[in-house]
Amino acid sequence: MRNMIAVTAIAAGLAIGGAGMLSAQPSFVPPAGYSLSEKGTVTGDQLKGVGLYSSSDEEIGKIADVELGVDGAATNIIVDVGGFLGIGAKPVALDLSEIAVYKHENGDLRAYTHLTKEQLTALPEYHTPK
């Protein structure tokens, strides 16, 4: 991410695609105090470093960046998976529809996906476009 963006496009994808994705899994219940982020309330910069969790509430990665298209709209979420303490992590790209961002009443953010850690690790490594 090259600059701070108001994530209207991201929030729309997260609030609509994300909510549908997670609601299809009846076992998913957000942790106490967390609720789905409202449209336009999260910026790309706020997402950097946010933990990515599976529907079983296991942290499986960290959001490293938000990829922007030529029009400035968010296209993908870049997630670091694997590694230890940030060393040896592999970046992978996820479509906006594959995550949902939840915000705690204290402001803490968490991103959730239907993917497992094994599925994330199996994705091809992301390389920054030139």
Side-chain angles (χ1 to χ4, degrees), residues 49-101:
V50 168
L52 180 67
Y53 292 80
S54 68
S55 58
S56 62
D57 208 31
E58 171 194 8
E59 187 169 357
I60 57 176
K62 290 243 185 243
I63 296 177
D65 210 347
V66 177
E67 181 182 62
L68 303 177
V70 289
D71 61 355
T75 56
N76 288 305
I77 302 294
I78 310 306
V79 177
D80 285 338
V81 295
F84 181 71
L85 298 174
I87 300 171
K90 172 181 147 182
V92 298
L94 294 180
D95 187 78
L96 298 177
S97 66
E98 295 193 287
I99 72 165
V101 175

Side-chain angles (χ1 to χ4, degrees), residues 1-125:
M1 182 171 39
R2 308 310 171 250
N3 57 4
M4 184 176 233
I5 56 174
V7 197
T8 303
I10 290 177
L14 300 177
I16 297 167
M21 171 211 46
L22 290 172
S23 64
Q25 298 181 18
S27 62
F28 179 77
V29 177
Y34 283 87
S35 58
L36 188 63
S37 292
E38 293 183 30
K39 181 178 178 178
T41 62
V42 179
T43 66
D45 278 347
Q46 289 173 316
L47 287 176
K48 286 179 95 171
V50 168
L52 180 67
Y53 292 80
S54 68
S55 58
S56 62
D57 208 31
E58 171 194 8
E59 187 169 357
I60 57 176
K62 290 243 185 243
I63 296 177
D65 210 347
V66 177
E67 181 182 62
L68 303 177
V70 289
D71 61 355
T75 56
N76 288 305
I77 302 294
I78 310 306
V79 177
D80 285 338
V81 295
F84 181 71
L85 298 174
I87 300 171
K90 172 181 147 182
V92 298
L94 294 180
D95 187 78
L96 298 177
S97 66
E98 295 193 287
I99 72 165
V101 175
Y102 284 77
K103 190 172 194 174
H104 192 271
E105 37 197 48
N106 70 8
D108 183 51
L109 295 173
R110 283 187 172 195
Y112 283 85
T113 184
H114 65 286
L115 300 170
T116 65
K117 186 173 188 172
E118 292 76 22
Q119 289 170 317
L120 274 182
T121 305
L123 291 173
E125 185 171 348

